[in-house]
């Protein structure tokens, strides 16, 4: 019963505030200014969210105004960024490993770069990249 009374109170307050367009507009403007000042303060103080807020200030302001969980969105963005960096690091590690294997075949077995790539079954679309890393001219297809 108590929650229903509280809900009715909130509904009537909402209706009073937003029934008049001028009230709604002045409330929105006050909220916008307060949120903008809060975001500016957070940026000035620095911290782990300052760079994100600086880059996405307009989005941050609208998120605060509409009650979006900004920290959850920031965490998700950081997780996506970390996943992308991990994918890049993984791909770079594979490339470095392949390059090392190619060099070993070329040095140990006196293979040409093309022969070493054939032995390791390097795909045709990647051969130019490895040839450049090895400092050799790729063979014409």
């Amino acid at each position: 019963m108590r929650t229903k009374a509280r809900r009715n109170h909130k509904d009537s307050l909402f209706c009073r505030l937003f029934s008049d367009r001028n009230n709604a507009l002045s409330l929105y403007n006050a909220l916008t200014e307060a949120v903008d000042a809060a975001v500016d303060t957070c940026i000035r103080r620095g911290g782990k969210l300052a760079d994100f807020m600086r880059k996405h200030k307009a989005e941050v302001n609208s998120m605060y105004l509409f009650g979006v969980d900004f920290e959850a969105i920031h965490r998700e963005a950081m997780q996506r960024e970390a996943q992308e960096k991990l994918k890049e690091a993984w791909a770079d590690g594979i490339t470095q490993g392949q390059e090392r294997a190619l060099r070993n075949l070329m040095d140990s077995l006196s293979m040409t770069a093309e022969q070493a790539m054939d032995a390791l079954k390097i795909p045709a679309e990647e051969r130019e990249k490895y040839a450049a890393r090895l400092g050799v001219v790729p063979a014409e297809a």
Side-chain angles (χ1 to χ4, degrees):
M1 189 62 115
R2 188 171 183 171
T3 54
K4 187 176 181 182
R6 188 176 302 156
R7 176 73 182 159
N8 288 340
H9 174 71
K10 286 180 181 179
D11 287 347
S12 65
L13 183 60
F14 181 85
C15 288
R16 270 190 251 140
L17 285 173
F18 294 104
S19 61
D20 180 20
R21 187 165 189 243
N22 289 334
N23 283 347
L25 189 58
S26 66
L27 180 61
Y28 176 80
N29 288 337
L31 262 171
T32 302
E33 289 174 17
V35 167
D36 197 42
V39 170
D40 285 341
T41 300
C42 289
I43 291 171
R44 274 195 310 278
R45 288 185 181 169
K48 61 183 178 180
L49 297 179
D51 290 336
F52 186 82
M53 287 181 162
R54 191 176 294 111
K55 288 179 191 173
H56 306 286
K57 188 175 180 181
E59 292 93 336
V60 171
N61 284 350
S62 66
M63 287 177 193
Y64 275 123
L65 284 172
F66 297 109
V68 175
D69 185 358
F70 176 71
E71 289 193 13
I73 290 171
H74 180 259
R75 277 192 305 275
E76 289 173 19
M78 297 304 289
Q79 286 172 345
R80 279 192 303 273
E81 187 177 325
Q83 287 173 346
E84 283 299 314
K85 286 182 180 180
L86 181 62
K87 285 179 187 175
E88 290 171 15
W90 184 266
D92 191 45
I94 290 171
T95 300
Q96 288 177 15
Q98 291 283 54
E99 180 185 352
R100 186 174 297 131
L102 289 167
R103 286 188 190 282
N104 286 340
L105 288 173
M106 292 167 66
D107 291 343
S108 301
L109 301 176
S110 299
M111 289 183 164
T112 65
E114 193 65 28
Q115 290 169 332
M117 286 189 233
D118 286 341
L120 292 179
K121 298 181 179 171
I122 302 291
E125 61 273 4
E126 294 181 13
R127 289 180 178 230
E128 192 173 316
K129 170 180 75 170
Y130 285 109
R133 290 179 69 100
L134 295 168
V136 297
V137 177
E140 292 294 321

